[in-house]
Amino acid sequence: MPELRVAFLSNFTINGLSEIIKVKSHQESVWIDHYNAPYNQYAQEIIDPASGLYRQNPDLIFLLLDAESFLGEFFSFPYRYSIEQRKEFVTEKIKEIGRLLTILQERTKAKIVINDFLVPAYSSRGIIESKQEWGLTESIYRINEALRDICKNNNRLFTFPLNSFCAHRIPNPLADPKIMYLTDMKISLDGFIGLASEYMSYIYPLTSKNKKCLVLDLDNTLWGGVVGEEGKDGIKLGPDKEGRVFLDFQKSILELFERGVILAINSKNNYEDAMEVIRGHKYMVLREDHFACIKVNWQDKATNLKEIAAELDIGLDSLIFIDDDKTNRALVRELIPEVTVIDLPEDVSLYPSTIKNLKQFNLFHLTEEDLKRGKMYVDQKKRSLLESETTDLNAFIKQLHIKVTIRPADDSTLDRITQLTKKTNQFNLTTKRYKEEEMQELSKSADCRIESIMVEDRFGDYGLTGAAIIKKDLEDKCWHLDTFLLSCRVLGKNVEFALMDHIIKKAKKEGVEKIKGYFIPTKKNKPAENFLGDCGFMISKEDEEKKEYTFDLNKDFTKEILVDVQEWKS
């Protein structure tokens, strides 16, 4: 079970929040070790290098500040100050937050989430508050905008929209006034439950618990009614009052597809009836080419889900399943507990918000490959069809017209390479996981070389799908393959040999005498077990935990390269 150290800093009472997050995380098989800073001691905790905050060495920090406490007298009497004084005061408060965030980054390697400030509904200026230059409302909006600017281009800083959360959450998450005055709780316990659910958005990607694929039922899920009984033109789908909710539901799902979520169908239905709607209904937003896998048959839903995961070559724990039928949901929960099952509400008007409230697809960075992932898996379906029609593997590879570009890592690719080290399991020789900060340090080291590989073929672009991290021992004239990994999407297409050939050629050019590679077995990386031997590496050491291989660079690399290899031109 992954363990995560999480710290909470605040200038008001947040008792209960950390415990709620701990329970929610445990339900996702994540163990939380939490640290709650003493009441209203956030600044002292950040400034003091010996504080409990730094002794915990957190992976994730949540900073919640209440505007009234943070702004002091200015919050209650902003118009005692001149416009210039208000502007100067707010500017200094922004700098104060910036300094604290800088210290946190210098003294920890944590991801830091700072909540923006609640904008009060009341103003002593009444209906002309919106006309006040650097008034209270405008001042808080400016602070919030500054927070977003500070965090925008920083991989470790994130702004959580607490103001928006409190404005739109039903029921209202703010604490009852009596409780607020007695305990200085600004948010109710029910509000903390909702806030904890939002905070899980940061915990999923930090612990690699985020999901890849959304699997959908059809009847009474993507449209209203049963197509086998009512026909294509009888189902509820369109801009009318009964069909609009399903139209909006599909639009929300399409938004997920366009940010890289893989889509699949799992439906008990007549295939021809279902495909007639998907291909021909006037208001169908999600079409056949949006789905990487379509299972429309009379098998049970659990069997279909297993086949979907196998065909997409992803784990069952990467799937989220949505079905209106309680029996199907219970069956999947019972037979495949790895799959996350979402309960659709009885009220269909809440369907779109169900999609918008999914937190499991969140990522800290959206790379080009992430954005294209849904389409990439659809393209893979076309490749699989070609492969099924071709009996010779080498002939199949040649028919794909694969082009690979091998490029050194730079700032534009490090996020994706880091992501690959965290997620790639099957073809990963050492399965070493790296954080963004660690990858940045490696990229700057003269004793390290990081290569990446980009792949495309006649059906589409796979994106950046592989990487190698090489640590140089100049004294011994040896390169060590610290990491060598490849996405399963391009596995078995000769790409892995093209990357190794490139590394061997570069090593020879730099006068290296040998390359050492390592295979550390896991439950999932069996496909990589024989790779080094297939490349001509010889076993030099072996124990239960690791095999060490050596390639003598006096030898030639003899593996045939069937793909078109291109050098990167920046």
Side-chain angles (χ1 to χ4, degrees):
M1 181 181 289
E3 182 175 320
L4 198 67
R5 297 181 299 276
V6 183
F8 297 86
L9 307 173
S10 180
N11 63 359
F12 61 94
T13 302
I14 58 171
N15 292 348
L17 177 59
S18 58
E19 287 78 9
I20 295 168
I21 289 180
K22 189 169 185 176
V23 170
K24 286 183 175 290
S25 298
H26 193 268
Q27 291 169 350
E28 301 291 340
S29 300
V30 176
W31 176 257
I32 295 291
D33 174 21
H34 67 270
Y35 174 76
N36 291 326
Y39 171 76
N40 199 21
Q41 297 290 303
Y42 71 95
Q44 294 91 324
E45 288 281 310
I46 293 171
I47 293 168
D48 180 7
S51 69
L53 170 69
Y54 298 121
R55 288 198 299 272
Q56 192 216 24
N57 189 25
D59 303 299
L60 181 62
I61 298 171
F62 290 107
L63 177 57
L64 299 88
L65 300 179
D66 173 61
E68 183 175 2
S69 177
F70 182 69
L71 297 177
E73 186 183 68
F74 180 91
F75 185 88
S76 301
F77 304 106
Y79 302 110
R80 291 179 178 176
Y81 300 77
S82 68
I83 292 174
E84 281 304 314
Q85 286 174 326
R86 295 200 291 266
K87 181 179 179 180
E88 183 179 347
F89 177 84
V90 170
T91 301
E92 282 304 312
K93 297 305 281 187
I94 291 169
K95 289 179 180 177
E96 179 184 326
I97 297 174
R99 287 192 290 269
L100 292 175
L101 292 175
T102 298
I103 294 170
L104 276 176
Q105 290 179 87
E106 289 173 349
R107 294 179 179 172
T108 75
K109 293 185 177 181
K111 300 287 187 188
I112 302 160
V113 180
I114 180 167
N115 293 249
D116 67 12
F117 290 87
L118 298 184
V119 179
Y122 169 79
S123 168
S124 62
R125 294 295 165 104
I127 62 174
I128 62 170
E129 167 64 26
S130 62
K131 298 179 182 294
Q132 307 305 304
E133 187 174 355
W134 288 91
L136 179 62
T137 300
E138 182 180 327
S139 294
I140 293 178
Y141 275 126
R142 286 182 179 271
I143 293 173
N144 287 344
E145 184 179 1
L147 284 178
R148 286 190 290 273
D149 287 341
I150 290 169
C151 297
K152 187 180 295 181
N153 297 313
N154 189 312
N155 287 340
R156 291 175 55 200
L157 297 181
F158 298 86
T159 311
F160 177 77
L162 185 65
N163 186 60
S164 177
F165 168 79
C166 289
H168 297 289
R169 183 82 181 182
I170 301 174
N172 190 296
L174 296 180
D176 179 88
K178 184 176 182 179
I179 298 297
M180 184 188 70
Y181 282 118
L182 287 173
T183 66
D184 198 26
M185 281 183 68
K186 308 296 181 180
I187 299 173
S188 68
L189 282 175
D190 285 342
F192 279 150
I193 292 172
L195 189 59
S197 295
E198 297 292 331
Y199 281 174
M200 290 300 295
S201 299
Y202 303 93
I203 290 172
Y204 286 120
L206 200 54
T207 55
S208 299
K209 290 286 184 178
N210 45 313
K211 310 299 180 180
K212 295 179 180 178
C213 179
L214 181 62
V215 184
L216 299 147
D217 178 42
L218 294 178
D219 290 334
N220 290 312
T221 301
L222 284 191
W223 55 70
V226 178
V227 67
E229 297 174 1
E230 299 166 59
K232 173 172 73 77
D233 298 324
I235 61 172
K236 298 178 181 69
L237 179 63
D240 62 292
K241 59 182 180 181
E242 288 187 297
R244 184 178 170 188
V245 65
F246 295 100
L247 190 66
D248 288 345
F249 184 61
Q250 288 198 29
K251 287 179 181 177
S252 298
I253 294 167
L254 182 59
E255 288 178 344
L256 289 181
F257 174 83
E258 290 182 354
R259 89 175 205 204
V261 174
I262 308 162
L263 301 182
I265 291 173
N266 183 2
S267 172
K268 280 190 176 183
N269 231 315
N270 288 319
Y271 182 82
E272 292 76 14
D273 292 340
M275 296 311 294
E276 184 182 7
V277 177
I278 293 169
R279 292 167 178 164
H281 195 284
K282 180 179 179 181
Y283 294 110
M284 191 73 188
V285 173
L286 298 170
R287 297 293 185 178
E288 187 173 2
D289 271 356
H290 291 121
F291 297 101
C293 189
I294 297 176
K295 293 291 179 184
V296 179
N297 52 42
W298 297 103
Q299 286 190 143
D300 66 88
K301 297 293 181 83
T303 299
N304 276 346
L305 283 168
K306 290 177 182 177
E307 291 181 1
I308 287 169
E311 287 185 26
L312 297 178
D313 202 13
I314 58 179
L316 286 163
D317 58 356
S318 294
L319 304 181
I320 290 182
F321 177 53
I322 291 184
D323 193 314
D324 69 295
D325 188 283
K326 293 180 181 178
T327 305
N328 286 329
R329 298 198 301 257
L331 174 75
V332 172
R333 283 193 175 106
E334 178 67 27
L335 298 182
I336 325 177
E338 304 97 313
V339 173
T340 298
V341 179
I342 303 297
D343 288 323
L344 276 177
E346 296 292 331
D347 183 354
V348 297
S349 68
L350 299 177
Y351 276 22
S353 61
T354 300
I355 294 297
K356 292 172 183 176
N357 286 329
L358 292 176
K359 310 303 177 191
Q360 295 92 334
F361 293 119
N362 277 290
L363 297 168
F364 286 125
H365 319 282
L366 276 175
T367 64
E368 276 189 54
E369 288 73 20
D370 293 323
L371 293 171
K372 295 175 183 175
R373 182 180 292 114
K375 182 181 181 302
M376 287 176 179
Y377 275 85
V378 173
D379 293 340
Q380 182 59 32
K381 186 167 60 173
K382 299 172 185 175
R383 294 183 188 100
S384 297
L385 181 61
L386 173 64
E387 186 174 13
S388 68
E389 296 170 351
T390 309
T391 56
D392 180 72
L393 177 60
N394 286 356
F396 165 66
I397 293 172
K398 290 175 181 177
Q399 287 180 54
L400 286 175
H401 304 301
I402 298 171
K403 293 181 180 179
V404 304
T405 303
I406 300 172
R407 61 182 292 187
D410 56 30
D411 288 341
S412 66
T413 59
L414 283 180
D415 285 346
R416 171 60 177 164
I417 295 169
T418 304
Q419 188 183 77
L420 284 171
T421 68
K422 291 179 179 178
K423 289 190 164 191
T424 307
N425 294 309
Q426 293 186 59
F427 196 87
N428 192 335
L429 292 179
T430 56
T431 321
K432 290 187 178 181
R433 311 299 192 189
Y434 284 103
K435 296 179 180 179
E436 287 84 354
E437 299 75 30
E438 294 169 330
M439 190 64 71
Q440 287 283 352
E441 290 178 12
L442 287 174
S443 70
K444 294 172 184 174
S445 171
D447 297 329
C448 185
R449 183 187 188 104
I450 305 176
E451 300 280 6
S452 64
I453 187 164
M454 304 169 70
V455 183
E456 60 181 301
D457 65 19
R458 59 184 269 198
F459 292 108
D461 188 355
Y462 294 89
L464 197 159
T465 53
I469 300 173
I470 301 150
K471 294 185 176 177
K472 304 176 182 179
D473 183 346
L474 300 180
E475 193 173 313
D476 197 29
K477 293 186 178 181
C478 176
W479 280 7
H480 298 265
L481 285 179
D482 171 87
T483 296
F484 192 105
L485 58 83
L486 206 67
S487 168
C488 58
R489 294 201 306 274
V490 294
L491 190 58
K493 294 182 173 64
N494 200 247
V495 171
E496 57 270 39
F497 297 110
L499 179 56
M500 183 62 79
D501 181 51
H502 169 85
I503 291 170
I504 288 171
K505 285 176 179 175
K506 289 293 182 184
K508 285 185 176 183
K509 193 172 181 179
E510 293 193 19
V512 178
E513 295 179 353
K514 58 189 174 185
I515 298 175
K516 288 192 175 181
Y518 308 90
F519 177 73
I520 301 174
T522 69
K523 291 180 180 179
K524 295 184 177 181
N525 71 348
K526 186 76 173 175
E529 183 175 14
N530 299 320
F531 173 66
L532 291 171
D534 292 342
C535 288
F537 283 69
M538 304 300 292
I539 289 183
S540 44
K541 288 182 185 177
E542 183 177 1
D543 56 42
E544 290 183 1
E545 296 182 354
K546 181 170 71 173
K547 292 181 181 178
E548 179 186 288
Y549 294 78
T550 301
F551 188 90
D552 183 350
L553 287 168
N554 289 315
K555 298 192 308 180
D556 291 327
F557 184 71
T558 57
K559 200 72 180 179
E560 183 182 7
I561 306 301
L562 303 171
V563 300
D564 180 15
V565 182
Q566 302 175 1
E567 287 284 344
W568 170 251
K569 294 179 182 178
S570 56

